[in-house]
Amino acid sequence: MASTSSISNVENLPPHILKRISREVYEISESPPEGIKMFINEEDITDIQASIEGPSGTPYEGGLFKMKLVLSKEFPAVPPQGFFLTKIFHPNVAKNGAICVNTLKKDWKPEHGIKHILLTVKCLLIYPNPESALNEEAGRLLLEQYDEYSRYAKMMTEIHAKPQKPSTSSSTSIDACCPSSSKSTEEDKDGELLKKKGTDKGKIPSTAAAATAAAEKKKKEKKKALKRL
């Protein structure tokens, strides 16, 4: 996938436009549309990134798709460019992630806000437009073999867009398979705990040793008593 990194436009855009972008970004962060999350770059407010949940009932359901908007120094007279950073099989998304949607092309208006763009991209996941396909294969399958299109789109979603689950540590796996290893680990933890408390574990008598010492003491006391008799 081609790089979609952009040079910061903080110095290129006029203060009133930067103020508008900042206000919109923070408003979306505080009250996000359903299924959309905004990421704020405090150092560069023109670095606009968000994640969109795959709408239910579509091949993208269950996926989390990250995207970004690249603003030019002519913004808002010129529309931003939209890119998916997450790989997706969609007629209107090129292999480099570029998004083709009329809102970012002929239907663009300077008054369109960031929220409007994000909602439009989310709608594009529900209603693809094969007539303006950037991915010709996806567009063809959508029109001619929808089941095949859906199957492939779901597979790509499963591979690239599924939220990562917390991985189980190797020690946990070993403990589950090898109880002795788990016991050793617990003993190590006990040792560390004793060290923290300033106690020398080697000087602590075991229960059996304590019982033996008590029995020996009783024997000695009994012998002394018999001698007195």
Side-chain angles (χ1 to χ4, degrees), residues 83-104:
F83 291 89
F84 270 111
L85 302 179
T86 304
K87 287 186 178 182
I88 183 173
F89 186 71
H90 190 287
N92 307 113
V93 182
K95 290 185 177 181
N96 71 342
I99 302 170
C100 178
V101 61
N102 287 337
T103 297
L104 299 178

Side-chain angles (χ1 to χ4, degrees), residues 23-63:
R23 185 182 67 251
E24 287 190 61
V25 167
Y26 280 98
E27 284 178 355
I28 297 171
S29 299
E30 291 296 316
S31 182
E34 184 179 357
I36 295 176
K37 180 181 179 181
M38 175 68 70
F39 300 97
I40 299 177
N41 184 340
E42 298 284 357
E43 297 180 358
D44 181 6
I45 200 65
T46 67
D47 177 23
I48 300 172
Q49 298 192 29
S51 64
I52 300 177
E53 295 177 8
S56 59
T58 72
Y60 312 105
E61 182 176 357

Side-chain angles (χ1 to χ4, degrees), residues 215-225:
E216 289 294 332
K217 187 176 180 181
K218 281 185 179 182
K219 282 182 181 180
K220 288 180 181 179
E221 289 176 351
K222 191 173 182 180
K223 284 181 181 179
K224 286 180 181 179

Side-chain angles (χ1 to χ4, degrees), residues 20 23-24 75-78 103 107-117:
R20 165 186 161 176
R23 185 182 67 251
E24 287 190 61
F75 178 84
V78 174
T103 297
D107 292 342
W108 172 254
K109 295 179 182 179
E111 58 267 28
H112 281 163
I114 296 170
K115 182 177 180 179
H116 177 80
I117 297 171

